[in-house]
Amino acid sequence: MRLSEASGRRDTQALLPVTQAMELRNRDYHVERPLMNQQQLEELGHQTSATRTYQWRTWFQCSRARARALLFQYLPVLSWLPRYPLRDWLLGDLLAGLSVAIMQLPQGLAYALLAGLPPVFGLYSSFYPVFVYFLFGTSRHISVGTFAVMSVMVGSVTESLAPDENFLQGVNATVDEVARDHFRVQLASTLSVLVGLFQVGLGLVRFGFVVTYLSEPLVRGYTTAASVQVFVSQLKYVFGLQLSSRSGPLSLIYTVLEVCSLLPQSVVGTVVTALVSGVVLVLLKLLSDKLHRYLPMPIPGELLTLIGATGISYGVGLKSKFGVDVVGDIPAGLVPPAAPNPQLFASLVGYAFTIAVVGFAIAISLGKIFALRHGYRVDSNQELVALGLSNLIGGIFQCFPVSCSMSRSLVQEGSGGNTQVAGAVSSLFILIIIVKLGELFRDLPKAVLAAAIIVNLKGMLKQFTDIPSLWKSNRMDLLIWLVTFVATILLNLDIGLAIAVVFSLLLVVFRTQLPHYSVLGQVPDTDIYQDVAEYSEAREVPGVKVFRSSATMYFANAELYSDALKKRCGVDVDHLISKKKKWLRKQEQKLKRMQKTLQKQTASSEGTSVSVQVNTIITDVESNNVDDSMARASAGNELEDTTASGQEDAKAANGSTLKALGLPQPHFHSLVLDLGALSFVDTVCIKSLKNIFRDFREIEVEVYMAACHAPVVSQLEAGHFFDASITKQHLFASVHDAVLFALQHPRSSPASPVLTTKL
């Protein structure tokens, strides 16, 4: 019976108009509490200083439990592999590993070409780093290995430090490809070691948060520009052209111009091979997308295209008859480890840091997407360590820097992958190809690999659709996207990334310098205060001005905050203060002249005549609108130059008020600063707040603060903000508390008794 009555009451409330429903809720919700300033709030809540915990102390603790925790933290495979559910996950991981390996093979060959290296080194980079990540990684779904953006960044390094012009030989000035490739491999492997060292070091010092400075618009704009770089870099293989190596600013523009000028020299067989391969690959991908519901795994379009192209090239003789450039000999087996060349460190360290940050940003952003989708946590610092060890160990075994691939990661997830067992399976499959089957692809045309790379750029090139969507949603993010894209296109990948990061950080500073300032009014019958310009029903409280900024106040915007406050208050504060000080200065000079006159008359006359002269002078001062009491006090005391606030208050009490001076008075007697947006304070902020108190008290307006967070209050105390003239009784728990106090005590001391107020 009670349940039916309760449900009936809820249904009745649902049918009520909005206003009546609000009235009904108001009857049920009623709060009565005393008006409260910060000091009373601390006493009522029994505020105590939080005990500080020093994280570094735990680093030096030694125990079996801590050793076990560290082992599981830095070698995560030990924590999840013993609990691996074979029956539930093994089949899915095997299928996912096989699917990823089928994609990894052609992409490894193609992306090695993109990095300016022999294709077999792409296979090495698809084996060692993948297996290392299986041991140390925390993401269960990303596919580590070769990636187009990383490869083109490596290619820009190898082609700039080892251009073809440095390896010319003989009378015909032919390029010594063996020597060139050997040096480029040495460059790429040394670069991979440096990238790994940077990533491991940053991970060990818990620097995983560095990726937060790479916003999503920045990353998407950067990867889009990188995809354009990849596309342009493959044109020489599509058209069969010999281009000069370029690097640095505007190198992309010069490369495009050179390709256009050399188009008449294109090899027809190479162009036809690339076009046919690209069309076949696109058709296979469309067919795979259409039939993906009915297939256990995606159609391996790249692998089928490579196998078919290799067979046709071998049977028809594309190299000998049509001049189509092919991959060439692929050595079977693994290469022995080799130490990096320390002499190259100085020239590679800048590139290494950029590649380390970009590779980690791509991996962690993709890893967090899958972690959120499947309900587990990815440790950003451990991901740095895992990716760094993958590049470090891979560099020792002649690999180039790697990250994770979005396309392969999606295939690994979609084909049933649950853990990095799928990655281990794919790396073992690649190992079999390296040892036994790699030499079968020596007749594979390079144009087919270029076509595969270009077709796989579809996902990144589709990011151009971000432009109209960001135009509608957030134009500041669009500006970051465009600046990143243009800078990366024109100034190359490394300089472009640096400019993009600096620009995005400066934009944040610029946005905090120009926040939204507003004067607040009370929403009728509530304790809520909103911008009067945005809420038509919000009304300013008579005699009280409430001011709010949407951003924290610090050294970069403190002066702008003060200027906006004085402008929004509708009173020319500086002008009033200047006029008041100018008038007081004149009166002070008059009084000094009076003193001198009195001293002269005292020396030459008797006391009675002095009294007559004093009365005469006082009468003259009164004719200049100075109160009688002020003149007598000034004539009897020695005046000194001082700026203490106590003396200014004494002046006001003695008659130097705005009204007595004939100056216009503000239309409000109290100012409330809503400081709820403050997240921290610095010395400039504290000085600006003190100046606001001083200036508005000069024009007879009392200042109160409201809604400060506890950490900000602690910082104000540490910065010696509170003193005899500004106490915690000027700081209130809410804006409504401050407004009520200001209404009850216009131009009074906050030490007055606090009244109980119903909210």
Side-chain angles (χ1 to χ4, degrees):
M1 183 65 182
R2 292 180 179 175
L3 290 175
S4 62
E5 289 178 358
S7 62
R9 185 162 59 251
R10 285 196 301 268
D11 296 338
T12 304
Q13 291 181 5
L15 295 175
L16 290 174
V18 176
T19 54
Q20 294 181 11
M22 289 182 63
E23 290 176 2
L24 185 60
R25 285 195 295 269
N26 287 339
R27 295 193 197 111
D28 298 334
Y29 179 77
H30 180 74
V31 175
E32 183 175 344
R33 67 168 176 83
L35 187 150
M36 201 170 296
N37 58 35
Q38 183 66 28
Q39 182 175 344
Q40 294 167 331
L41 179 62
E42 292 176 0
E43 293 173 356
L44 180 65
H46 300 288
Q47 185 189 26
T48 57
S49 58
T51 57
R52 297 184 62 183
T53 57
Y54 297 95
Q55 184 68 27
W56 58 270
R57 290 180 178 176
T58 62
W59 298 348
F60 303 100
Q61 294 177 357
C62 297
S63 65
R64 180 178 298 179
R66 174 150 179 80
R68 180 185 176 88
L70 285 175
L71 183 63
F72 285 169
Q73 178 183 350
Y74 290 108
L75 199 60
V77 68
L78 297 179
S79 63
W80 61 265
L81 190 59
R83 298 180 284 107
Y84 182 80
L86 288 173
R87 292 184 178 180
D88 298 331
W89 287 1
L90 182 59
L91 181 60
D93 282 338
L94 288 175
L95 288 176
L98 181 61
S99 302
V100 170
I102 291 173
M103 291 184 65
Q104 188 90 271
L105 170 61
Q107 289 185 2
L109 296 172
Y111 293 156
L113 206 63
L114 189 58
L117 305 174
V120 69
F121 291 93
L123 297 181
Y124 300 152
S125 300
S126 302
F127 167 62
Y128 291 106
V130 177
F131 194 79
V132 173
Y133 186 83
F134 160 73
L135 300 175
F136 295 96
T138 60
S139 175
R140 303 204 313 245
H141 293 90
I142 66 171
S143 174
V144 172
T146 56
F147 182 52
V149 174
M150 299 290 288
S151 298
V152 74
M153 294 180 77
V154 175
S156 67
V157 176
T158 57
E159 292 184 2
S160 63
L161 297 182
D164 292 342
E165 290 78 7
N166 291 358
F167 300 93
L168 299 178
Q169 62 178 0
V171 181
N172 297 329
T174 58
V175 177
D176 186 357
E177 295 185 358
V178 175
R180 181 201 64 187
D181 291 345
H182 176 75
F183 185 63
R184 286 185 176 180
V185 168
Q186 193 177 37
L187 278 173
S189 60
T190 304
L191 180 65
S192 183
V193 170
L194 282 177
V195 169
L197 289 174
F198 272 122
Q199 290 175 334
V200 171
L202 293 176
L204 291 177
V205 298
R206 322 297 291 176
F207 209 63
F209 69 89
V210 70
V211 74
T212 58
Y213 295 109
L214 304 179
S215 64
E216 183 180 358
L218 188 150
V219 172
R220 292 178 69 87
Y222 185 77
T223 53
T224 305
S227 66
V228 175
Q229 296 259 15
V230 171
F231 177 81
V232 173
S233 68
Q234 296 306 295
L235 292 179
K236 64 180 180 180
Y237 298 112
V238 171
F239 295 103
L241 302 175
Q242 295 292 329
L243 303 180
S244 55
S245 300
R246 287 188 173 87
S247 62
L250 300 180
S251 59
L252 184 73
I253 308 300
Y254 292 135
T255 301
V256 172
L257 294 176
E258 187 178 5
V259 169
C260 294
S261 65
L262 295 178
L263 279 180
Q265 303 177 18
S266 300
V267 179
V268 178
T270 302
V271 176
V272 172
T273 301
L275 288 176
V276 172
S277 302
V279 171
V280 170
L281 187 54
V282 169
L283 292 177
L284 288 174
K285 284 185 173 292
L286 292 175
L287 183 63
S288 178
D289 292 339
K290 192 172 184 179
L291 301 177
H292 75 280
R293 296 181 180 178
Y294 312 103
L295 299 174
M297 56 183 293
I299 297 176
E302 289 91 348
L303 183 61
L304 294 177
T305 304
L306 262 62
I307 293 174
T310 303
I312 294 173
S313 175
Y314 176 77
V316 177
L318 292 179
K319 179 176 176 60
S320 58
K321 293 183 179 180
F322 301 100
V324 177
D325 196 12
V326 297
V327 169
D329 291 333
I330 298 179
L334 299 172
V335 294
N341 187 355
Q343 296 178 351
L344 300 175
F345 284 0
S347 57
L348 293 176
V349 64
Y351 299 108
F353 183 78
T354 303
I355 294 174
V357 173
V358 172
F360 173 62
I362 295 170
I364 193 62
S365 59
L366 201 58
K368 287 186 175 180
I369 290 174
F370 287 120
L372 186 63
R373 186 181 301 175
H374 294 275
Y376 63 92
R377 182 178 176 274
V378 172
D379 186 349
S380 59
N381 294 305
Q382 180 58 26
E383 283 295 293
L384 258 177
V385 173
L387 204 59
L389 289 174
S390 298
N391 284 311
L392 178 61
I393 297 174
I396 295 174
F397 287 93
Q398 310 293 297
C399 301
F400 56 87
V402 298
S403 183
C404 76
S405 167
M406 181 180 296
S407 60
R408 291 198 309 271
S409 299
L410 291 173
V411 168
Q412 180 169 322
E413 182 206 25
S415 55
N418 297 292
T419 64
Q420 282 300 326
V421 170
V425 171
S426 68
S427 66
L428 293 177
F429 187 80
I430 294 296
L431 175 62
I432 295 173
I433 294 174
I434 293 173
V435 174
K436 294 294 182 182
L437 305 177
E439 58 186 11
L440 299 178
F441 291 98
R442 64 182 180 182
D443 290 313
L444 174 64
K446 291 183 178 179
V448 176
L449 295 176
I453 291 173
I454 292 174
V455 170
N456 281 305
L457 291 177
K458 180 187 70 171
M460 285 190 288
L461 292 175
K462 285 175 67 177
Q463 292 177 156
F464 278 110
T465 58
D466 290 350
I467 296 177
S469 62
L470 289 176
W471 175 263
K472 296 177 182 178
S473 60
N474 193 317
R475 295 184 182 178
M476 286 296 181
D477 284 347
L478 174 61
L479 186 61
I480 294 174
W481 197 102
L482 292 175
V483 169
T484 303
F485 178 82
V486 173
T488 306
I489 289 292
L490 296 180
L491 304 176
N492 220 341
L493 294 165
D494 48 354
I495 303 177
L497 179 64
I499 290 178
V501 172
V502 171
F503 177 79
S504 62
L505 294 178
L506 288 177
L507 190 60
V508 171
V509 175
F510 175 76
R511 295 173 77 172
T512 59
Q513 283 186 303
L514 299 176
H516 178 68
Y517 298 109
S518 54
V519 174
L520 306 185
Q522 184 183 20
V523 179
D525 301 325
T526 69
D527 61 347
I528 300 173
Y529 292 78
Q530 295 293 345
D531 188 354
V532 295
E534 297 179 357
Y535 289 78
S536 58
E537 291 298 321
R539 295 287 184 268
E540 289 191 51
V541 178
V544 180
K545 188 74 69 173
V546 183
F547 181 78
R548 180 173 67 191
S549 170
S550 62
T552 190
M553 180 166 58
Y554 66 113
F555 68 92
N557 64 359
E559 184 178 355
L560 299 174
Y561 180 95
S562 300
D563 294 342
L565 170 63
K566 294 174 181 178
K567 182 178 180 181
R568 294 297 182 96
C569 285
V571 178
D572 194 343
V573 179
D574 296 331
H575 178 71
L576 283 178
I577 295 175
S578 175
K579 296 284 288 184
K580 180 179 178 180
K581 288 183 176 180
K582 185 177 180 181
W583 196 95
L584 291 174
R585 199 179 305 114
K586 288 182 179 179
Q587 298 307 314
E588 189 176 353
Q589 292 174 357
K590 284 184 179 180
L591 294 176
K592 285 184 178 180
R593 287 196 297 269
M594 289 163 52
Q595 278 189 334
K596 291 180 180 178
T597 304
L598 288 172
Q599 290 174 358
K600 291 179 180 179
Q601 292 179 354
T602 301
S604 59
S605 305
E606 294 180 357
T608 54
S609 63
V610 170
S611 176
V612 172
Q613 292 295 332
V614 168
N615 291 333
T616 304
I617 294 172
I618 290 176
T619 304
D620 294 339
V621 174
E622 285 180 349
S623 66
N624 287 321
N625 295 325
V626 181
D627 291 345
D628 188 48
S629 61
M630 175 185 171
R632 285 196 298 269
S634 300
N637 294 297
E638 182 179 346
L639 299 177
E640 298 180 358
D641 260 3
T642 177
T643 59
S645 59
Q647 186 176 2
E648 291 175 356
D649 294 339
K651 286 181 181 178
N654 288 332
S656 59
T657 62
L658 294 176
K659 184 177 181 180
L661 299 178
L663 297 175
Q665 294 176 276
H667 59 280
F668 55 96
H669 54 75
S670 300
L671 171 66
V672 177
L673 302 178
D674 182 359
L675 302 181
L678 284 187
S679 57
F680 67 93
V681 294
D682 56 10
T683 55
V684 178
C685 173
I686 291 176
K687 289 180 180 178
S688 296
L689 287 175
K690 284 191 172 185
N691 290 337
I692 290 171
F693 271 82
R694 181 200 63 199
D695 292 346
F696 277 89
R697 283 173 173 174
E698 283 274 3
I699 62 171
E700 302 165 17
V701 174
E702 187 57 57
V703 183
Y704 304 102
M705 302 180 297
C708 264
H709 302 295
V712 175
V713 176
S714 301
Q715 293 174 20
L716 290 174
E717 290 177 329
H720 305 290
F721 173 74
F722 298 109
D723 52 24
S725 60
I726 305 175
T727 68
K728 286 187 178 180
Q729 294 179 351
H730 289 89
L731 177 58
F732 290 86
S734 69
V735 173
H736 194 54
D737 288 340
V739 171
L740 288 177
F741 185 89
L743 290 175
Q744 295 169 6
H745 306 83
R747 292 294 296 154
S748 67
S749 171
S752 304
V754 178
L755 301 180
T756 300
T757 306
K758 293 182 181 179
L759 297 179

